[in-house]
Amino acid sequence: MKRLILFLLIGLSLSSLAQIPGISSGGGLDTATVMKSAASTSCMDYQTVGVCYWLDCDKKCKVRTSVKVKHFVPEAVVSTYADTGKNPWTDVAGMSPTSIGAEGGGDVTTASSGKNTQTRFKNADVIGHPGGSLLGTVGLGYTCESTTTAYYPYFLSTLDIIGWRFGIPEMVYPESLAPGLREVGSMASGNMWGNIFPREGLITQTDDFKAAAVTAQKAADITTRTGQAHVYTPIKASSAKDGYWPPNDPVMENDASNHRWQQLYPEQKDSCSAFPDREMTTRSAGDSYVFALWRPYRCCKQVGQEFLGSTGF
């Protein structure tokens, strides 16, 4: 309950800050819309997958059962945008202002006639989704809460100057030098969106939406892993709990079984998919996009003092 009150206070504080001139600008994404996106039943993909067993001892001991469920949870809000300091989620834009070494952005070169390549730069912010943190407090225990903390900045590219602006040291990683490794889509399928490595803000892609999607995938790839050469906080469960199984594996591009994306800005979508299975066609006039990152959780309601185990269907 204390944690929930803290989340609500943070949310109210950020919403209040958004009303102060200079803190955020209109025309972007607000927190109310972000919260609303967490109610997508299509993205949640709710399933009953088994039974949990608990030992409940009051005057006498007995074994009780509860339903084991699986569903996707919105862990983080990932913003990718061209101009530094202008996160389209306006209520948190103040977290990543311009600073020495982190200014500017946008297209680096302009494609000339007859060329189909264009180098772009995208900032990226990974912020804890406020809706995912509240899921475990509703539904009578039959929804799983996120391991992330609402509004917590897990990754701000303005702080990761060496890694995100210059690609150091990832520009010499094998994944960066060998074609065909770690790509969103593939050349063989005729639907190649871009390379994950080096995980930096520069990307060669004529389609700005696809550039934003690959950038979001890069940021998620970093934050769902530990020990990466970047300035960030890993998204990882702090400790195991009885009857609660958060995702252990990091996101892997092209795999809709371990993560999915939902577009929040410039238009909110009610469905989710992994890139590049479905192209979300809404383009942003300001080269700014926001996506919710959903990952699969399993959990069951605690109905006893001791957890005895679980079985699956």
Side-chain angles (χ1 to χ4, degrees), residues 264-304:
L264 304 183
Y265 182 86
E267 180 182 1
Q268 181 183 323
K269 303 290 186 179
D270 291 329
S271 58
C272 292
S273 67
F275 304 133
D277 292 343
R278 180 179 63 84
E279 183 179 347
M280 303 171 191
T281 57
T282 302
R283 299 307 197 264
S284 170
D287 297 338
S288 301
Y289 298 83
V290 183
F291 306 96
L293 174 64
W294 294 67
R295 293 213 287 164
Y297 284 66
R298 289 177 171 84
C299 66
C300 54
K301 182 179 181 180
Q302 182 174 349
V303 293

Side-chain angles (χ1 to χ4, degrees), residues 4 63 71 82 214 222-224 230-231 246 271 275:
L4 174 58
V63 175
H71 64 85
V214 174
I222 294 170
T223 53
T224 57
H230 290 269
V231 179
S271 58
F275 304 133

Side-chain angles (χ1 to χ4, degrees), residues 147-229:
T147 60
T148 58
T149 300
Y151 306 106
Y152 184 86
Y154 290 89
F155 179 73
L156 301 174
S157 60
T158 53
L159 301 181
D160 187 33
I161 297 173
I162 300 298
W164 197 256
R165 294 259 168 174
F166 299 101
I168 299 173
E170 291 193 359
M171 64 174 60
V172 296
Y173 284 9
E175 297 92 337
S176 302
L177 302 174
L181 295 180
R182 303 299 309 278
E183 296 174 340
V184 178
S186 67
M187 294 296 291
S189 67
N191 193 21
M192 170 65 172
W193 283 22
N195 300 83
I196 297 297
F197 282 81
R199 293 172 298 181
E200 62 177 354
L202 287 174
I203 181 171
T204 300
Q205 173 57 256
T206 58
D207 188 309
D208 191 63
F209 171 80
K210 294 179 181 180
V214 174
T215 303
Q217 192 76 49
K218 290 181 179 185
D221 196 88
I222 294 170
T223 53
T224 57
R225 288 168 167 80
T226 58
Q228 305 303 294

Side-chain angles (χ1 to χ4, degrees), residues 17 19 28 36 57 70 94 124 128 158 198 201 223 225-227 229 253 308:
L17 285 173
Q19 306 303 317
K36 178 183 176 182
C57 295
K70 172 188 175 183
T158 53
T223 53
R225 288 168 167 80
T226 58
E253 64 278 1
L308 302 177

Side-chain angles (χ1 to χ4, degrees), residues 31 44 79 82 94 102 108 153 155 174 181-182 194 201 208 214 236 239 306:
T31 299
M44 184 176 287
S79 303
V108 178
F155 179 73
L181 295 180
R182 303 299 309 278
D208 191 63
V214 174
K236 193 174 180 64
S239 60
E306 295 292 333

